[in-house]
Amino acid sequence: MRFRSLLLAAALLPAAAGLAAAQSVFSSPLGPATRPALVELCGRIARQAVVQGSFTQVKHVSRLSKDFVSQGRFLFAGQRGILWEVLAPFPSTTIMSRERLVQRTPGGRQSVLEAGANPVFRRFADTLQAVFSGNLGAMEAEFDLFFLPGQGGPWRLGLVPRDQAMRALISSLQITGEEYLREVLLSEAGGDTVRYSFAEARSAEALTADEEELFR
Amino acid sequence: MKKSFFASSCIGLWERSRRLHLPAWIGFHLLLFAGFALGGRPAVDSDLSSILPQSSPAASVGRAEKKLSAELNGSFSVLLGHRDFRAARQAASALAAGLRGHPSLAAVSLEVDDSLPGRLQEFFFQNRYRCLPPETLQDLEAGRIDLLAAEAFQVVSSPLSVGALRHIELDPFLLAHRSLQRFLGSGLAGSLSVGVKDGVLAAEHEGRWYVLVGCRLEEGGVNTRTRGHAVPVVYSLAERLQKEIPGLELVYTGVPFHAFQSASQAQREIALISVAATAILICIVALLFFSLMPLGATFLTMGLGIAAGLAASFLAFRQVHLFTIVFGTSLIGISVDYAVVFFAEWLNPREPRLGPAIIRRTLPGITIGLLSTLLSYLILLFAPFPLLRQMAVFSSVGLASTFLSVVCVFPRLRPPRLPRRNIPIRVLEALLAAYDRFFAMRSWLRWSLLALAGAAALVGLARVRPVNELRAIYRVSPRLAASEAKAAAILELGASGLYCILRGADSEEVLRREEALTARLDREVAEGRLGGYLATSTLLPSHARQELTYRLVGSALLPRAGGQLAALGFDAGALAQLWEDYRRQAGAYLESAQLRELSVSPLAGSLWIGEVQGESFSAVLLLRVRDAASLAAMVGGLPGATLVNKTAELGQTLQRLSSIALLLIAAAYALIFLGLWRLYDLPTAGKLIAVPVAASLLTVAILGYAGLPLNLFAIVGLILIPGIGSDYAVFYEEGHERRSVTMLAVTLSLASTVTSFGALAFSSLAGVFGLTVTLGVTLSFLLAPLAARRLGA
């Protein structure tokens, strides 16, 4: 148990992610002035039932002074879950729904974690779902929020974990977006960063039958 | 006649030794109490499991099992639940603070040891050539190195891999990370459903946060009597916290809560039963004699009997189980029998009422009674069941003490004036007239009535269910049961009560056998018949497995390390360093001392049982077992492995004991019958023994009609019937010339027995036991006049 939950979080977080910007979002705590804009933004995100596209992930390992790049596609399906498929250099798949987490490794090995058997996972899944479905209340329960509304340009949302044990692993998340999410920057406590850039994002009213099958 | 010879010789002996009576009585008790006083501190055992015999076939496995359960049974947990995590956290801190420093607690844990993740990562890195998951070993054997390389890259490029990369130049395939992942998934570090939140262990369940406070009793802490126990402290702190923090919920789990419940319940019940039985007896005796002397004498005798019984039990066993005292308390009833027989003669208007005259009339009867009862208790001494042996000593010595008091001291008492209206005698004479009418019936009618009763008994006997479950001895309180169920739902430990004990000549053999077992268990897990298992060899492979791992890493993995290091951005120097590190570690085995130093969790520590009587042992805990039968078959074929199924074995053990107890009862009847045959002729002996036999059969039949199980405790109750029932029959036989006085004595002794055993029937610990004795004794009372010789018959 214990920090297993946090390592588990590591496997899930690629989906969560944040951003970079000229002005640091972390000097702008969410306040009465910016809250209405965030509420409006969350409402907009919540209305996007299905969003899919491609992503590029750049992990910077400070110990090795090296960047590791991988590419793939993603699918956020509101309340149903998240599909995260790495295509290169090593194919792997993560499918996370409220019920279970399914992971397929490059070698084709599959592991299934039932949410019912792991409340920590359930809590994490709920948090991620909160971020991607614009559930502000659930986000605030786990994170301190910072927000810079776009005013014509991209908006920026900063999240800092409230839980001390979580903060020992993740120092912050920054999310940038306009109509869709554009970038997520995850800063680890150890100094490494993971940057996700999203492209070719498009939304749909509902999942196709094939996609629906993935979350079963 | 044989009988008159016995009677005249015991009366003769009594007459000749009159001057020795008082010294003998004083000497008997003085010796017992002196022995008790010199025998060291008495200890009362309240541990539920210690009344049960060892269940395992091999004695050494049994001892290993006992060592393991002592470890597992000594810890308990409290979950503090609240909708608001901070409230639950605050309550948990207050509880932990209140419990720390309690003398019976060895450890109280709330805050998470935040150095453990780092220590584990370091442990698996240091031992990456010695300890690897079985599936990684299979990959190495099959040469799937590309796969291992790809999976390592996946970890490197995932977020939060910080710890995994700490030693990447010396572990480019992230072997340590693989071991760590497998370890974390095994549950060895604790429940998988509990995570770290704000520095404590917490789980979310149905909208509430539960914070875990774990406690571990000092060695032998389970056995501490209710005073000085940690459990009441937990309860009182909990009560205070619930007042201070509205909405706080407390969930308790662990053996100590149950041990405490049964012990405190037993103490309450002893007190209640003694008070109730004593009060009723005082009323009966006072109403009959209108004198305080018989009352005082009876109670002093009884008190002395119980004290003597206790002293003898402590002398013989040093540690006496609380249940012995609960059952022994019912001796209050039996031990007054002889006193009552004596004092009933004080109400006899037709014969001399001075002590020696009474002794001459009653001594043969009570002597035969004592001998037959002692016989049936002595047989219990051979029962393979510590509780029964303790009860046998307690009861035999208690009865002997009472007998001595009656025979040596009572004759010196001066009887009070005879009450003017002898109401009880008249009532009983009316009852006896009813028996006479039964005998005056036409014989076909009499026999038809008896046949009808016999047929009804047979139907009842056919309905008896011989069922044995732990519930027969210990009924868990609904509150505690609900608490345990809730804790199981929150923690989802999946403990099934099933585990394997592995035995070997040394630790190496035990670990090899564990590996053979876990290889099969892995298949069971893969095929969904088993949820998981906890085993020491996950962290500490055998030397053979360690050597194999080392060789495989050197032959299959390291030759491909150059490419991997280059892909990660290291130069050729890193490869040379890696090989040097590998060669340096040749022959450096991972030993159990390193594992102990790591101190993963108390549970992981308990699995390694260690050395017991020159052999080594370990335990493998099986989780969420779906098919116990297939597991049993699988384990059966492995050398040195024993599957322990506590729940099933307990039932089997109780069943086996029941069969033995039934044999003991048969033996008691045989012995009593032989004894009676020596004193009387064959038909009389047969008639006398028929009373308790018929009473026992009818009792069992009534249990059948009532739908109550014939469990071990019902059978223990039946053990008492031969003694008491034959007593009654003998009293009638001996007192046939003064039937009404005899009936008075027997009625009084029935009243006292029924009072105490009847009270026991309402207790939670020994309900069936009390009921069985009450029924058996009452039926013996009703049947005894039928067997007795009738005047003029």
Side-chain angles (χ1 to χ4, degrees):
Chain A
M1 81 190 130
R2 308 170 183 218
F3 81 120
R4 175 183 195 274
S5 51
L6 298 175
L7 290 177
L8 179 67
L12 304 175
L13 263 171
L19 99 116
Q23 186 195 350
S24 169
V25 66
F26 295 107
S27 53
S28 310
L30 183 64
T34 47
R35 180 175 282 275
L38 182 58
V39 171
E40 192 268 334
L41 171 66
C42 286
R44 205 142 35 92
I45 295 175
R47 280 192 295 277
Q48 295 170 350
V50 177
V51 180
Q52 52 191 316
S54 61
F55 71 85
T56 303
Q57 171 194 306
V58 180
K59 162 123 184 217
H60 178 76
V61 180
S62 52
R63 243 202 109 244
L64 304 177
S65 311
K66 197 169 156 65
D67 286 344
F68 294 89
V69 182
S70 34
Q71 277 153 341
R73 65 181 195 100
F74 69 89
L75 172 67
F76 302 144
Q79 295 301 313
R80 290 307 307 276
I82 296 165
L83 166 75
W84 195 256
E85 191 177 11
V86 179
L87 299 168
F90 302 106
S92 71
T93 313
T94 303
I95 300 164
M96 190 182 75
S97 65
R98 283 205 52 132
E99 293 78 34
R100 65 187 67 83
L101 171 75
V102 182
Q103 286 180 294
R104 246 172 259 136
T105 70
R109 278 195 275 246
Q110 179 167 315
S111 68
V112 180
L113 186 66
E114 296 293 331
N118 196 323
V120 176
F121 163 59
R122 202 158 53 213
R123 177 182 154 205
F124 202 84
D126 287 350
T127 307
L128 280 191
Q129 224 91 329
V131 173
F132 289 103
S133 60
N135 182 343
L136 188 55
M139 268 192 271
E140 283 190 294
E142 297 289 340
F143 298 96
D144 288 325
L145 298 184
F146 301 82
F147 188 58
L148 281 175
Q151 284 152 354
W155 50 263
R156 288 193 292 264
L157 176 63
L159 300 95
V160 173
R162 286 169 181 259
D163 190 279
Q164 180 196 333
M166 183 78 94
R167 260 204 320 274
L169 288 174
I170 303 169
S171 54
S172 70
L173 277 168
Q174 288 184 64
I175 308 177
T176 314
E178 281 173 295
E179 194 187 345
Y180 299 109
L181 293 191
R182 238 168 51 184
E183 208 171 66
V184 174
L185 176 69
L186 166 69
S187 304
E188 296 182 10
D192 293 352
T193 56
V194 190
R195 183 187 303 275
Y196 300 92
S197 311
F198 301 101
E200 301 163 43
R202 58 185 194 280
S203 65
E205 286 298 310
L207 291 173
T208 64
D210 285 352
E211 290 164 346
E212 190 77 45
E213 194 58 36
L214 287 171
F215 292 104
R216 263 184 230 288
Chain B
M1 270 174 73
K2 297 192 272 187
K3 162 64 204 355
S4 57
F5 172 72
F6 174 81
S8 58
S9 38
C10 60
I11 293 167
L13 185 68
W14 183 83
E15 297 275 7
R16 282 196 303 280
S17 62
R18 273 172 88 159
R19 282 199 307 179
L20 293 175
H21 286 170
L22 219 48
W25 179 76
I26 294 170
F28 175 83
H29 290 101
L30 215 58
L31 268 177
L32 266 180
F33 296 135
F36 170 72
L38 297 174
R41 257 177 73 107
V44 176
D45 184 356
S46 61
D47 181 4
L48 204 62
S49 61
S50 66
I51 65 163
L52 298 167
Q54 284 303 320
S55 51
S56 283
S60 59
V61 174
R63 265 183 286 272
E65 192 190 317
K66 195 156 181 137
K67 199 173 158 196
L68 174 71
S69 41
E71 291 241 3
L72 296 179
N73 292 349
S75 29
F76 64 91
S77 303
V78 183
L79 289 157
L80 298 103
H82 202 279
R83 294 207 171 276
D84 178 7
F85 170 76
R86 277 163 302 180
R89 170 81 168 81
Q90 181 200 340
S93 301
L95 180 69
L99 287 175
R100 281 197 178 117
H102 190 277
S104 74
L105 289 175
V108 177
S109 57
L110 169 67
E111 288 82 10
V112 174
D113 170 11
D114 52 15
S115 73
L116 184 64
R119 282 190 287 126
L120 278 168
Q121 259 159 352
E122 210 52 33
F123 174 85
F124 285 117
F125 169 69
Q126 296 299 340
N127 299 293
R128 67 196 181 284
Y129 304 140
R130 299 288 169 193
C131 175
L132 285 178
E135 56 277 9
T136 307
L137 278 185
Q138 284 161 16
D139 288 340
L140 289 177
E141 276 173 335
R144 291 190 283 265
I145 309 302
D146 288 339
L147 179 63
L148 294 177
E151 286 180 352
F153 261 102
Q154 195 198 7
V155 175
V156 172
S157 53
S158 312
L160 301 183
S161 54
V162 50
L165 310 186
R166 191 176 295 157
H167 301 290
I168 191 158
E169 66 272 34
L170 287 175
D171 185 13
F173 294 96
L174 302 181
L175 297 177
H177 179 73
R178 291 171 168 276
S179 300
L180 183 62
Q181 288 302 316
R182 177 176 158 88
F183 170 76
L184 294 172
S186 73
L188 258 180
S191 160
L192 292 179
S193 64
V194 181
V196 180
K197 189 170 160 72
D198 196 16
V200 296
L201 292 180
E204 199 182 9
H205 181 73
E206 291 174 354
R208 274 168 183 267
W209 279 102
Y210 292 88
V211 176
L212 185 84
V213 176
C215 299
R216 199 167 170 74
L217 291 177
E218 285 287 356
E219 212 169 305
V222 184
N223 256 337
T224 49
R225 268 174 290 171
T226 45
R227 209 179 311 146
H229 202 291
V231 169
V233 182
V234 172
Y235 285 148
S236 76
L237 282 171
E239 202 177 324
R240 210 190 66 207
L241 287 170
Q242 271 176 321
K243 272 190 208 128
E244 286 169 9
I245 306 173
L248 181 70
E249 181 192 355
L250 285 117
V251 181
Y252 309 97
T253 173
V255 171
F257 289 111
H258 298 267
F260 176 76
Q261 192 205 329
S262 71
S264 55
Q265 209 170 5
Q267 282 180 0
R268 270 200 309 275
E269 282 170 1
I270 291 174
L272 199 73
I273 290 170
S274 325
V275 169
T278 311
I280 294 174
L281 288 179
I282 288 177
C283 293
I284 295 174
V285 177
L287 277 173
L288 277 173
F289 294 97
F290 291 103
S291 159
L292 282 180
M293 209 220 286
L295 190 71
T298 306
F299 278 99
L300 280 178
T301 309
M302 199 167 75
L304 197 61
I306 290 173
L310 263 180
S313 313
F314 279 120
L315 259 179
F317 302 101
R318 278 201 308 209
Q319 197 175 35
V320 171
H321 200 278
L322 199 58
F323 281 18
T324 307
I325 304 176
V326 178
F327 290 142
T329 313
S330 39
L331 257 191
I332 292 173
I334 302 182
S335 70
V336 296
D337 281 12
Y338 310 133
V340 157
V341 168
F342 183 92
F343 287 123
E345 293 286 338
W346 278 7
L347 295 178
N348 183 351
R350 302 185 187 95
E351 284 173 276
R353 291 162 59 235
L354 278 175
I358 294 178
I359 284 291
R360 272 176 221 118
R361 295 199 294 271
T362 56
L363 187 62
I366 61 176
T367 309
I368 296 170
L370 174 75
L371 291 177
S372 61
T373 312
L374 280 186
L375 270 182
S376 61
Y377 285 156
L378 287 178
I379 282 178
L380 289 189
L381 277 180
F382 300 99
F385 189 20
L387 185 67
L388 288 186
R389 285 203 296 270
Q390 292 185 2
M391 278 174 65
V393 169
F394 189 112
S395 310
S396 308
V397 175
L399 279 181
S401 153
T402 315
F403 176 82
L404 281 178
S405 298
V406 171
V407 172
C408 301
V409 182
F410 282 19
R412 290 160 194 271
L413 303 175
R414 175 177 288 278
R417 271 193 313 125
L418 205 58
R420 207 175 306 151
R421 282 187 302 168
N422 214 331
I423 301 166
I425 292 279
R426 275 189 228 152
V427 173
L428 293 173
E429 275 169 351
L431 186 58
L432 283 168
Y435 281 95
D436 289 337
R437 275 199 295 283
F438 176 72
F439 281 108
M441 281 176 188
R442 290 168 194 280
S443 73
W444 66 264
L445 188 60
R446 207 164 63 220
W447 284 111
S448 318
L449 279 176
L450 285 176
L452 207 65
L458 280 178
V459 173
L461 285 173
R463 298 170 69 150
V464 166
R465 292 177 300 125
V467 178
N468 270 300
E469 286 166 327
L470 183 63
R471 273 183 295 162
I473 340 172
Y474 170 56
R475 244 182 281 159
V476 58
S477 79
R479 201 181 68 139
L480 209 46
S483 207
E484 286 286 2
K486 182 114 198 206
I490 298 169
L491 298 173
E492 299 179 55
L493 275 174
S496 51
L498 257 71
Y499 52 89
C500 279
I501 298 269
L502 290 130
R503 164 178 157 189
D506 51 23
S507 56
E508 175 66 12
E509 189 176 26
V510 171
L511 288 171
R512 282 187 203 194
R513 287 177 168 176
E514 239 192 45
E515 283 157 1
L517 172 69
T518 53
R520 298 200 186 189
L521 292 178
D522 284 332
R523 281 205 292 280
E524 297 284 313
V525 173
E527 283 161 27
R529 285 196 292 271
L530 181 68
Y533 61 86
L534 306 181
T536 309
S537 52
T538 309
L539 286 173
L540 179 65
S542 65
H543 277 196
R545 171 72 55 94
Q546 290 188 35
E547 192 51 41
L548 172 75
T549 309
Y550 184 81
R551 276 193 287 107
L552 275 172
V553 170
S555 63
L557 194 66
L558 293 196
R560 302 279 304 277
Q564 181 81 350
L565 283 168
L568 289 167
F570 291 102
D571 56 22
L575 182 63
Q577 262 188 350
L578 180 57
W579 273 108
E580 193 197 316
D581 177 70
Y582 174 77
R583 290 194 189 101
R584 211 183 48 240
Q585 292 200 35
Y589 290 104
L590 164 59
E591 302 291 353
S592 58
Q594 285 161 268
L595 190 60
R596 272 198 300 279
E597 218 171 281
L598 182 66
S599 78
V600 179
S601 69
L603 179 63
S606 307
L607 292 177
W608 189 254
I609 300 170
E611 205 169 299
V612 179
Q613 295 187 322
E615 287 183 298
S616 287
F617 292 91
S618 77
V620 173
L621 250 57
L622 305 172
L623 306 176
R624 296 181 294 278
V625 174
R626 280 176 208 114
D627 187 353
S630 88
L631 271 180
M634 188 202 80
V635 173
L638 289 170
T642 312
L643 183 72
V644 181
N645 186 347
K646 270 291 181 206
T647 335
E649 263 169 37
L650 187 68
Q652 281 165 11
T653 308
L654 292 175
Q655 206 71 43
R656 194 164 49 87
L657 287 173
S658 299
S659 316
I660 294 172
L662 279 174
L663 282 177
L664 290 177
I665 293 176
Y669 278 118
L671 272 178
I672 293 175
F673 176 70
L674 288 176
L676 290 173
W677 189 9
R678 276 196 61 75
L679 295 174
Y680 304 96
D681 52 24
L682 187 61
T684 311
K687 220 169 51 178
L688 294 179
I689 200 74
V691 170
V693 171
S696 299
L697 288 175
L698 284 172
T699 301
V700 177
I702 291 174
L703 290 182
Y705 276 117
L708 291 169
L710 182 68
N711 59 27
L712 179 63
F713 285 78
I715 294 172
V716 171
L718 289 178
I719 290 177
L720 300 182
I721 308 304
I724 304 176
S726 58
D727 267 12
Y728 289 176
V730 167
F731 291 161
Y732 275 108
E733 181 67 22
E734 289 298 306
H736 67 95
E737 285 151 344
R738 346 174 275 289
R739 282 197 312 171
S740 46
V741 182
T742 302
M743 191 163 207
L744 176 66
V746 173
T747 309
L748 282 177
S749 85
L750 171 81
S752 63
T753 309
V754 166
T755 311
S756 45
F757 283 97
L760 210 55
F762 293 103
S763 80
S764 61
L765 293 170
V768 186
F769 172 73
L771 184 67
T772 311
V773 176
T774 306
L775 282 173
V777 171
T778 309
L779 287 164
S780 298
F781 169 81
L782 293 173
L783 293 173
L786 294 177
R789 198 175 350 161
R790 290 184 309 285
L791 266 183

